[in-house]
Amino acid sequence: MAVLPDRKKDTVKAFLAAIPAPQKATIQRVCVDMYEGYSNAVYEALSGVAVIVDRFHVAKNYRGCADKARKQEMQVLKKTLSDKEYAELKGVMWLFRKRWVDLTEEQQVPLLMLFRYSPMLQQVYIFREVMTSIFNRPLTKAQAVIELEAWIKQAQELELSCFDSFVGTLRKWMDEITNYFIQRQSSGFVEGLNNKIKVIKRRCYGIYDLGRLFQHIWLDVEGRRVFGYA
């Protein structure tokens, strides 16, 4: 583990090149987000190592597209619906972001109302969930490529333009994204650790001694395991 001064490709490449040869030989796969500086550094410094685009960042991308479509459509509905009709859609933002199976029957009502007013949003919602189901299923890399290509074709046939940017992302990173299906590895641990450190930093506001800050981080991250408290 290391803290680098920046995320430039040359900086990352130098760090990877400095890994001792015995350890470097054990590296088979590297998880990254969709920043070319990271992926190119891995390709140049770690020959033969597979690059995996983290599933979390893929999901963030297509879910963001769906949410953007919802925002735009809600603006249209606010102008076209009566005040009473629009009021029926209160709280629909949070419902739209959830899986259908996670909603109660009561919660499903305003979402169904939204879909009645906007069939396009219903298609967006369905296609978002279909994409999630592709990543949840035990597919091989080859099967995942077929499924993703079929998803792209159907989305374009239905003219769901809100996903255009995500389609471009899929096309560009298809190999790295589908590498996930080989052993279903992700950057979940790193993302979780980063979030935990951010919370610790907020709790330690006013502490300027880096040594003390790292003591707090170590106690929170390792202390529970070492000292056995819950």
Side-chain angles (χ1 to χ4, degrees):
M1 184 178 293
V3 178
L4 304 182
D6 55 60
R7 50 188 268 136
K8 295 178 180 178
K9 187 190 81 170
D10 289 341
T11 302
V12 179
K13 185 178 176 182
F15 164 71
L16 296 175
I19 298 175
Q23 294 180 348
K24 189 183 296 185
T26 66
I27 301 174
Q28 298 178 358
R29 286 166 290 277
V30 176
C31 293
V32 301
D33 58 24
M34 286 173 280
Y35 169 57
E36 290 183 322
Y38 292 153
S39 58
N40 289 338
V42 174
Y43 285 131
E44 294 178 20
L46 302 175
S47 177
V49 170
V51 173
I52 304 169
V53 166
D54 181 54
R55 173 181 175 172
F56 168 82
H57 291 91
V58 178
K60 185 178 180 181
N61 193 304
Y62 68 76
R63 292 184 68 87
C65 291
D67 218 34
K68 183 177 180 180
R70 178 196 56 77
K71 292 177 183 177
Q72 293 174 341
E73 193 66 6
M74 290 299 289
Q75 291 176 353
V76 173
L77 293 177
K78 189 172 184 179
K79 296 178 181 177
T80 56
L81 297 178
S82 67
D83 291 342
K84 181 180 179 181
E85 289 171 329
Y86 190 78
E88 293 175 336
L89 303 178
K90 183 179 180 180
V92 78
M93 175 183 74
W94 302 109
L95 303 177
F96 184 84
R97 291 176 175 177
K98 292 185 177 181
R99 299 187 306 164
W100 183 260
V101 296
D102 292 332
L103 299 174
T104 64
E105 290 186 7
E106 184 179 357
Q107 291 174 323
Q108 290 171 356
V109 172
L111 197 56
L112 287 172
M113 188 75 69
L114 172 66
F115 295 155
R116 183 166 68 84
Y117 291 136
S118 176
M120 181 274 289
L121 274 187
Q122 183 175 13
Q123 291 288 354
V124 170
Y125 183 89
I126 292 171
F127 268 71
R128 186 197 70 194
E129 294 306 296
V130 169
M131 178 57 65
T132 299
S133 73
I134 291 174
F135 280 85
N136 286 342
R137 288 157 54 199
L139 304 174
T140 65
K141 177 181 172 72
Q143 290 171 333
V145 171
I146 294 172
E147 293 282 345
L148 292 174
E149 290 289 357
W151 185 94
I152 290 173
K153 182 180 179 181
Q154 291 174 356
Q156 291 178 332
E157 288 175 350
L158 291 172
E159 298 183 349
L160 297 178
S161 59
C162 63
F163 288 116
D164 284 353
S165 62
F166 177 63
V167 168
T169 297
L170 273 179
R171 294 289 193 203
K172 181 177 180 179
W173 295 93
M174 182 65 80
D175 185 54
E176 291 84 356
I177 288 174
T178 52
N179 278 342
Y180 165 78
F181 293 88
I182 297 175
Q183 291 193 2
R184 308 186 76 83
Q185 294 164 322
S186 72
S187 301
F189 168 78
V190 176
E191 296 294 338
L193 179 62
N194 286 341
N195 287 333
K196 183 175 287 188
I197 290 175
K198 290 177 182 177
V199 172
I200 295 170
K201 284 170 62 180
R202 287 195 291 271
R203 287 210 325 258
C204 295
Y205 180 79
I207 297 178
Y208 299 103
D209 185 324
L210 286 180
R212 293 290 302 277
L213 175 61
F214 276 98
Q215 284 179 347
H216 280 275
I217 293 173
W218 187 89
L219 286 171
D220 269 80
V221 175
E222 293 290 339
R224 296 177 185 273
R225 180 175 63 84
V226 174
F227 297 109
Y229 61 86

